Amino acid sequence: MKSNNSFSVTLHLLLHLEKAGTLLTSEQMSAFTDSNPAFIRKILAGLRENNIVCSIKGHHGGWKLCRPINSITLYEIYAALGSPSLFAIGNRNDNPACLIEKGVNRAMDGTLLAAETLILDRFKALTLQDISDEFIGYFDKEGKAPW
């Protein structure tokens, strides 16, 4: 089962935008994630609608962050991407009259809801600044430059 990596790709792109300190085109950003520029534009369009990124049209145009990274939560980004499914597992609903299937689904629903709540609460508490601080600290400790 293939996982949806758009959230991870988006975090990657936003941190590149912050570190670049200048406008970046979707073509430039596609090189960071080995993605298609059209895919990058699709991701960024939802973020633009939520005032996370801004775009400037024209020959010298591109994308930039609209706000400082310490004011952008992972939850805002997740919501701007359309709140993609957090789990690849789900319930079986082939035989709704089966009491065992109903029992399994009830147990799974409660478990998945509890796990989703924990994840979303964590997304609300974390900012892009937190991620940036963590990886810069890691690379400093390792004695390597992150770029």
Side-chain angles (χ1 to χ4, degrees):
M1 192 176 297
K2 187 170 166 66
S3 61
N4 178 343
N5 66 1
S6 62
F7 186 65
S8 178
V9 167
T10 302
L11 297 176
H12 187 147
L13 294 174
L14 293 175
L15 289 168
H16 270 290
L17 280 174
E18 194 273 332
K19 296 302 172 199
T22 188
L23 294 172
L24 293 176
T25 66
S26 54
E27 287 77 16
Q28 290 170 310
M29 288 185 279
S30 69
F32 301 143
T33 59
D34 195 26
S35 301
N36 185 301
F39 172 69
I40 302 301
R41 287 189 294 275
K42 181 180 176 187
I43 286 175
L44 295 177
L47 301 177
R48 179 179 52 213
E49 291 172 11
N50 288 276
N51 200 36
I52 296 170
V53 297
C54 302
S55 63
I56 297 172
K57 294 182 180 183
H59 182 64
H60 298 287
W63 298 86
K64 67 178 184 172
L65 292 173
C66 292
R67 306 187 334 242
I69 62 173
N70 66 353
S71 72
I72 303 170
T73 68
L74 272 60
Y75 183 80
E76 287 179 272
I77 297 163
Y78 170 77
L81 292 173
S83 304
S85 177
L86 294 174
F87 305 111
I89 59 174
N91 288 333
R92 178 183 164 102
N93 292 303
D94 295 337
N95 189 358
C98 178
L99 296 178
I100 292 174
E101 185 174 282
K102 287 180 180 182
V104 168
N105 288 351
R106 277 195 307 278
M108 290 293 296
D109 285 345
T111 301
L112 293 174
L113 180 60
E116 184 175 295
T117 299
L118 287 171
I119 293 168
L120 295 179
D121 286 348
R122 183 75 172 136
F123 284 176
K124 290 174 185 174
L126 285 173
T127 66
L128 282 176
Q129 183 70 58
D130 296 323
I131 295 173
S132 179
D133 291 347
E134 189 281 328
F135 79 76
I136 288 174
Y138 170 80
F139 283 108
D140 284 348
K141 187 177 103 183
E142 295 293 316
K144 300 175 185 173
W147 29 81

